[in-house]
Amino acid sequence: MKANYDIVVIGFGKAGKTLAAKFSKSGKSVALVEKDKNMYGGTCINVGCIPSKRLITDASKSPNGEFEKKAQHYKEAVAEKKKLTAALNKANYDKVASTGADIIDGTASFKDNHHIVVSTKDGNIEIEADKFIINTGSVTVIPKIEGADSKGVYTSESIMNLEELPKRLTIVGGGYIGLEFASMYADFGSKVTVVQDGDVFLPREDEDIAKAIHEVLEAKAVEIVTGAKVTKAEEGKLYYEVAGETKTLDSDAILLAVGRRPNTDGLGCENAGVKLNDRGGVVTDEHLKTSADNIWAAGDVCGKLQFTYISLDDSRIIWDEITGEDKRTTENRGAFSYSVFINPPFSRVGMSEKDAKAAGMEYKVLSLSANAIPKAKVLRKTDGLLKALVKADGTILGAELFCEESYEMINFIKLAMDHGIKAKDIANFIFTHPTMSESLNDLFAM
Ligand SMILES: Cc1cc2nc3c(=O)[nH]c(=O)nc-3n(C[C@H](O)[C@H](O)[C@H](O)COP(=O)(O)OP(=O)(O)OC[C@H]3O[C@@H](n4cnc5c(N)ncnc54)[C@H](O)[C@@H]3O)c2cc1C
Ligand SMILES: NC(=O)c1ccc[n+]([C@@H]2O[C@H](COP(=O)([O-])OP(=O)(O)OC[C@H]3O[C@@H](n4cnc5c(N)ncnc54)[C@H](O)[C@@H]3O)[C@@H](O)[C@H]2O)c1
């Protein structure tokens, strides 16, 4: 380890590991500082996307019959998930280390805009660098309620290590994590209740889509309570108020899923002239440069979109800026897409009908029931609804796909939108058969 580097990356997230490896391969001297050995590779592979999607996959294979059989299947799934994350953690470490970058185990804090102090198990070390990249991710928001840290209350991270399948699970929050875990634990065999603060279920989505998702969750016996003010958690009991009445929910586990906030605690940004917004996110320009001229920030820590693929794209933007190519920015990366991995998955790109109405745009809605798709019948997955929004000239404004394999199909539509491909081109595109994507022929027929 040296005391001086060209580039120091703080945090082993998606952007951080990508940039550390690329800059190191290009001949720069690079150090990557990570505070937790269990987090080599970041949130996604250790405690986020990959373990949750592995468990979601295994949940869909839960055996029929008595709860004990389901609980055993769940226990095995958790054990398998641990093996997968351990293997990925090692592979991520090896991949970066093999480029010659130094990986430093410790917690970094800025001393000024050219120096950090790293607190390691052997004491503090000071490191100087020409440039810094902040990639410290986000942390779970713990709501300010009595008993939030009591026994039986979990975060997404800790519940994925719980080996006993809860018979009854209460989830606070009906966002991405809340709904994915609701669908997953219901598939594993838990009786799930989701308690959320707002009055409207899935307020970001169109009403018909939210209704279709609600119905599918209800069919799995997931109960959704809206407009609730959660007040206390105690010995598995969740206390909340709805319409002025105090209610109690008994459960074997409570999952807190009310959001994640940028992780800038103790980073000493103020010492380096790096401005934060009122939610603690690092403020950047469209090149992801912070208010300090030699410091960039990528991923969840910016407090905007919290997705692995956005962190990866942030790495492209920073690479372009530092290497002088200056091509990609946060303004030109195209339509924003996402998938919620419930069963069936919901995926969206671009505008919803709600968005188009609010923007006062002229649009036409194209829709299709998942039940009309031959491949959906083959897969025995006929629940769902597909919607697309187009202008009169066939320009695609957005799509909302609630159907099996939508997480693959949505990427095709983003590509079409980013490259100005029109509805008629998709309506006449030759898809292989039988596939879920071929339904886009019918969906986009105007
Ligand atoms: C349960 C769950 C499921 C998810 N599912 C999906 C999904 O399906 N698809 C998707 O795209 N996204 C998903 N996400 C979101 C996704 O995981 C994050 O957006 C992404 O991992 C953020 O990556 P990042 O590059 O910002 O940083 P991270 O991967 O969070 O890495 C930050 C790293 O910085 C380290 N660190 C923090 N502070 C310091 C410091 N001071 N010094 C040194 N090291 C430090 C941390 O230990 C951590 O390893 C999910 C998240 C969760 C929690
Ligand atoms: N498939 C994916 O891409 C995926 C999956 C999981 C997580 N993520 C990322 O992780 C982030 C965090 O996920 P999340 O689900 O924790 O956050 P979220 O912001 O998506 O949802 C939080 C939910 O909690 C509700 N809420 C807030 N405070 C509450 C309270 N006191 N009581 C009851 N409900 C309350 C909100 O109304 C909202 O519905 C997401 O924003 C997303 O970017 C992505």
Side-chain angles (χ1 to χ4, degrees):
M1 192 205 309
K2 311 193 307 161
N4 185 301
Y5 292 88
D6 292 328
I7 296 178
V8 167
V9 177
I10 306 173
F12 208 140
K14 186 70 181 174
K17 65 190 173 191
T18 307
L19 287 167
K22 272 175 92 172
F23 278 118
S24 181
K25 275 192 203 156
S26 78
K28 301 275 185 213
S29 63
V30 176
L32 173 55
V33 187
E34 170 53 52
K35 66 175 181 173
D36 182 351
K37 284 172 188 275
N38 293 320
M39 289 294 283
Y40 294 150
T43 300
C44 172
I45 62 143
N46 292 293
V47 295
C49 333
I50 299 295
S52 61
K53 270 74 230 183
R54 166 55 85 81
L55 288 175
I56 286 167
T57 302
D58 284 353
S60 67
K61 297 176 194 151
S62 186
N64 290 328
E66 65 269 29
F67 185 79
E68 284 62 35
K69 251 168 78 182
K70 292 176 188 286
Q72 183 55 30
H73 173 77
Y74 170 76
K75 194 174 189 165
E76 287 162 15
V78 171
E80 286 296 313
K81 182 241 28 166
K82 285 184 183 166
K83 280 191 213 156
L84 174 66
T85 52
L88 289 174
N89 180 292
K90 181 179 180 317
N92 272 263
Y93 181 91
D94 291 348
K95 195 170 172 191
V96 176
S98 72
T99 66
D102 284 341
I103 298 171
I104 301 171
D105 294 315
T107 304
S109 183
F110 283 103
K111 188 177 168 197
D112 56 45
N113 69 326
H114 279 289
H115 297 87
I116 52 168
V117 174
V118 182
S119 157
T120 75
K121 68 175 176 32
D122 303 318
N124 285 356
I125 51 173
E126 189 170 310
I127 295 174
E128 186 181 35
D130 190 23
K131 296 180 173 64
F132 288 93
I133 295 160
I134 303 172
N135 185 222
T136 50
S138 59
V139 287
T140 302
V141 171
I142 305 296
K144 289 189 180 67
I145 56 165
E146 201 184 320
D149 56 356
S150 61
K151 197 167 163 273
V153 180
Y154 298 86
T155 63
S156 59
E157 183 173 342
S158 58
I159 203 164
M160 285 196 279
N161 289 325
L162 176 68
E163 290 177 359
E164 273 172 39
L165 179 63
K167 270 200 169 126
R168 297 155 308 169
L169 172 66
T170 299
I171 301 179
V172 184
Y176 288 80
I177 295 179
L179 293 189
E180 287 188 359
F181 281 59
S183 176
M184 168 174 100
Y185 275 96
D187 283 353
F188 269 126
S190 304
K191 171 74 187 80
V192 179
T193 307
V194 176
V195 179
Q196 79 160 54
D197 55 354
D199 287 329
V200 180
F201 174 65
L202 283 177
R204 271 190 299 241
E205 310 304 341
D206 285 343
E207 275 165 29
D208 49 357
I209 290 284
K211 184 168 171 277
I213 294 175
H214 199 288
E215 280 167 8
V216 165
L217 289 172
E218 263 183 347
K220 291 178 201 279
V222 173
E223 235 172 282
I224 312 233
V225 178
T226 53
K229 185 177 182 318
V230 174
T231 52
K232 187 163 90 168
E234 189 179 60
E235 292 174 6
K237 275 194 173 67
L238 187 81
Y239 295 80
Y240 62 94
E241 288 163 14
V242 144
E245 261 185 72
T246 300
K247 306 217 169 188
T248 326
L249 256 172
D250 260 322
S251 51
D252 304 289
I254 296 170
L255 168 64
L256 301 178
V258 301
R260 290 176 63 87
R261 63 173 174 82
N263 185 10
T264 46
D265 300 350
L267 197 55
C269 287
E270 63 285 2
N271 302 328
V274 172
K275 276 196 193 131
L276 303 182
N277 63 26
D278 53 5
R279 295 194 59 240
V282 177
V283 176
T284 64
D285 65 12
E286 73 270 29
H287 303 285
L288 297 173
K289 187 179 269 187
T290 69
S291 48
D293 213 33
N294 63 325
I295 304 177
W296 288 262
D300 287 10
V301 74
C302 299
K304 289 182 181 149
L305 301 169
Q306 299 179 333
F307 300 90
T308 297
Y309 48 96
I310 295 295
S311 181
L312 176 65
D313 198 53
D314 286 355
S315 79
R316 298 182 186 117
I317 292 170
I318 294 175
W319 172 263
D320 276 7
E321 229 247 330
I322 294 182
T323 57
E325 291 190 21
D326 225 1
K327 284 183 195 145
R328 207 170 179 89
T329 71
T330 53
E331 304 304 306
N332 69 14
R333 60 176 153 202
F336 171 58
S337 51
Y338 57 86
S339 292
V340 189
F341 292 81
I342 49 178
N343 181 10
F346 168 65
S347 305
R348 170 164 159 203
V349 60
M351 285 185 148
S352 64
E353 197 176 348
K354 231 182 217 178
D355 296 337
K357 256 190 206 141
M361 295 185 73
E362 298 257 325
Y363 63 87
K364 183 173 175 186
V365 176
L366 307 172
S367 68
L368 183 74
S369 161
N371 193 30
I373 306 171
K375 182 60 185 274
K377 294 193 199 297
V378 171
L379 296 172
R380 296 195 179 89
K381 298 271 189 177
T382 50
D383 285 331
L385 171 69
L386 295 80
K387 249 177 107 171
L389 237 67
V390 295
K391 290 212 264 193
D393 68 354
T395 302
I396 304 165
L397 296 171
E400 298 152 281
L401 310 180
F402 178 42
C403 64
E404 196 57 23
E405 295 181 14
S406 67
Y407 44 72
E408 301 292 353
M409 298 156 74
I410 205 73
N411 293 311
F412 177 87
I413 304 178
K414 172 172 162 56
L415 188 72
M417 287 175 69
D418 287 354
H419 293 273
I421 291 170
K422 298 265 172 96
K424 75 166 175 3
D425 301 315
I426 301 187
N428 295 323
F429 185 83
I430 303 174
F431 289 98
T432 53
H433 170 80
T435 55
M436 290 299 291
S437 317
E438 68 182 327
S439 64
L440 300 179
N441 279 159
D442 293 333
L443 179 64
F444 282 96
M446 286 180 73

